[in-house]
Amino acid sequence: MAKTTLKDISKALNISISTVSKALSDSYEISEKTKKMVQDYAAEMNFSVNKVAQSLKIGKTNTIGVIVCAINNTFISEILDGIQKASIETGYDIIIMQSREDVVIEKSCIEVLNSRGIDGLLISPVSETSNINLLKELQENQKPVVIFDRTVNQLKTDKVGVNNFDGAYQATKHLLQQGRTNILHITGHQLGVSKDRLNGYKEALREFEIPLKPYYFIECNIQDTEILDKQIKSAIQKTLNAEHKLNAIFGATDVITTRTLGILAELNIKVPEEIAVIGFSNISIPDSLNPALSRIKQPASEIGHTAMKKLIYLIKHPNYTDFETIELENTIEIRRSSLLA
């Protein structure tokens, strides 16, 4: 049986080959009615698109670049799951790269993906301003960019994350309600969500009329876990010897929160009896930790799915500039690590 071609579909439906090609690539230039007619007929004839040939013809690869900080992170893995679900729904391929929290590596990732002819980029930036000019160049070359997770970024585009202020506020408020007033807040240096989470922490302290102590807030190097562990350990030891002895820790990221539990165990500090712990974390086994971890859980898969859908929309509507920042709601889960039962 002869293989069906674009020309065959064009002839059968009495439309141009160009229209057939654009309909099969889901182009915004073609009406939904025509797209459905072409796609239904193509499916009936078991037609499969030659993606290489199509990309050469229409100047699109149907491929999305994705840059994350680290793939071996539960939160990021869940985001990627949401991105992949949306890619299946929309028929786009994805190429995933990781920046390892390094601006130089991030720059290389952007350049490699651009050279591969991506149609658009999803990125969780290393910092608020990292490679901003390079991202603007992509936009100027009709390759839209959508920011996810670390939404405090200067780039003018759609951004999808969570309500970081409220998540931090709820976590800190919970500790305060447990009578823990000397709360160490640990975050990442130049992290794109640090400011909102710090402000949520401050607001809860203000509400409970607890003065902000400068040495109870530290920014750590999250690129290198060995350095991170040393910085967390040093901050804990310093605040244990302070005038107002440390009795709670709020971690701003998944890695910080889970590693803090391990460091406290290493220091033979009882959790929650001596120090209560809560933080942002999407680890899949919070109940299996000792003690079970209280956390702010983010809707990671929904973040990825929403960001991917936003990017596809921008690709199909190149003149769209009514950008928005979407803040999804977190869930607070209280377990043994922060309870004084």
Side-chain angles (χ1 to χ4, degrees):
M1 186 175 179
K3 184 178 180 180
T4 302
T5 65
L6 291 176
K7 186 176 181 180
D8 294 331
I9 299 175
S10 168
K11 186 175 180 181
L13 300 179
N14 195 31
I15 55 179
S16 70
I17 294 176
S18 175
T19 299
V20 173
S21 178
K22 290 178 179 178
L24 291 173
S25 63
D26 203 23
S27 170
Y28 71 94
E29 299 176 64
I30 307 301
S31 70
E32 293 302 319
K33 180 179 178 181
T34 301
K35 285 182 192 177
K36 187 176 188 311
M37 176 181 70
V38 173
Q39 292 168 3
D40 287 349
Y41 184 79
E44 182 185 339
M45 302 305 294
N46 295 314
F47 174 81
S48 60
V49 177
N50 182 327
K51 292 192 174 182
V52 174
Q54 185 186 58
S55 66
L56 290 172
K57 186 176 183 63
I58 65 174
K60 298 285 184 181
T61 62
N62 236 44
T63 302
I64 300 301
V66 182
I67 301 177
V68 298
C69 56
I71 294 173
N72 63 341
N73 177 306
T74 304
F75 172 62
I76 295 300
S77 297
E78 290 179 9
I79 287 180
L80 291 175
D81 181 64
I83 289 173
Q84 186 187 33
K85 286 176 181 176
S87 76
I88 293 171
E89 294 169 6
T90 56
Y92 277 78
D93 298 323
I94 55 175
I95 301 175
I96 303 167
M97 300 190 75
Q98 53 184 343
S99 66
R100 299 185 182 277
E101 303 288 7
D102 188 302
V103 174
V104 176
I105 295 176
E106 180 183 76
K107 179 176 183 290
S108 176
C109 291
I110 296 170
E111 291 172 341
V112 168
L113 290 170
N114 186 36
S115 70
R116 295 289 182 91
I118 57 169
D119 294 339
L121 177 68
L122 290 173
I123 182 171
S124 179
V126 170
S127 71
E128 297 179 21
T129 58
S130 61
N131 294 298
I132 194 79
N133 291 329
L134 203 53
L135 295 176
K136 288 179 180 178
E137 283 182 25
L138 286 182
Q139 291 178 315
E140 290 166 2
N141 291 316
Q142 300 300 308
K143 294 185 179 183
V145 178
V146 168
I147 305 289
F148 66 89
D149 180 30
R150 300 171 179 180
T151 56
V152 181
N153 189 278
Q154 293 180 2
L155 193 71
K156 293 181 180 179
T157 186
D158 282 323
K159 301 167 187 176
V160 183
V162 298
N163 190 333
N164 289 294
F165 177 93
D166 184 68
Y169 168 80
Q170 294 297 338
T172 309
K173 180 180 178 181
H174 164 67
L175 293 173
L176 292 166
Q177 288 172 333
Q178 297 297 302
R180 303 302 178 100
T181 57
N182 300 323
I183 305 168
L184 173 62
H185 177 38
I186 309 174
T187 189
H189 180 61
Q190 289 191 329
L191 194 65
V193 294
S194 297
K195 191 179 298 181
D196 286 343
R197 292 181 183 179
L198 174 60
N199 286 337
Y201 164 77
K202 288 180 177 179
E203 176 59 23
L205 292 179
R206 187 199 62 77
E207 187 175 297
F208 280 72
E209 299 183 343
I210 304 297
L212 177 67
K213 308 172 187 72
Y215 52 87
Y216 273 115
F217 167 68
I218 65 165
E219 291 183 307
C220 294
N221 181 335
I222 56 177
Q223 293 177 252
D224 187 316
T225 53
E226 186 176 338
I227 295 175
L228 173 63
D229 288 352
K230 288 180 180 178
Q231 291 177 325
I232 293 175
K233 184 183 293 186
S234 174
I236 291 171
Q237 292 172 326
K238 178 181 177 181
T239 49
L240 281 174
N241 298 320
E243 179 184 353
H244 303 283
K245 186 178 179 181
L246 172 69
N247 56 23
I249 295 175
F250 163 45
T253 75
D254 204 317
V255 174
I256 288 172
T257 302
T258 51
R259 296 191 80 85
T260 294
L261 275 184
I263 290 167
L264 289 170
E266 181 186 335
L267 294 172
N268 293 315
I269 295 173
K270 294 180 181 179
V271 178
E273 291 83 0
E274 295 178 70
I275 296 179
V277 176
I278 189 172
F280 281 82
S281 179
N282 276 53
I283 188 172
S284 59
I285 52 170
D287 290 301
S288 299
L289 299 177
N290 186 22
L293 179 64
S294 293
R295 65 177 179 177
I296 301 297
K297 188 175 188 296
Q298 302 174 80
S301 182
E302 188 179 351
I303 291 172
H305 190 274
T306 303
M308 181 68 168
K309 286 296 188 72
K310 278 288 184 184
L311 183 61
I312 301 305
Y313 185 87
L314 294 182
I315 290 171
K316 294 180 179 179
H317 301 82
N319 297 319
Y320 183 84
T321 56
D322 191 17
F323 302 126
E324 63 177 335
T325 296
I326 297 174
E327 293 187 341
L328 304 173
E329 292 303 318
N330 304 288
T331 304
I332 186 168
E333 299 177 355
I334 305 304
R335 295 185 177 85
R336 178 70 184 136
S337 72
S338 65
L339 286 174
L340 291 177

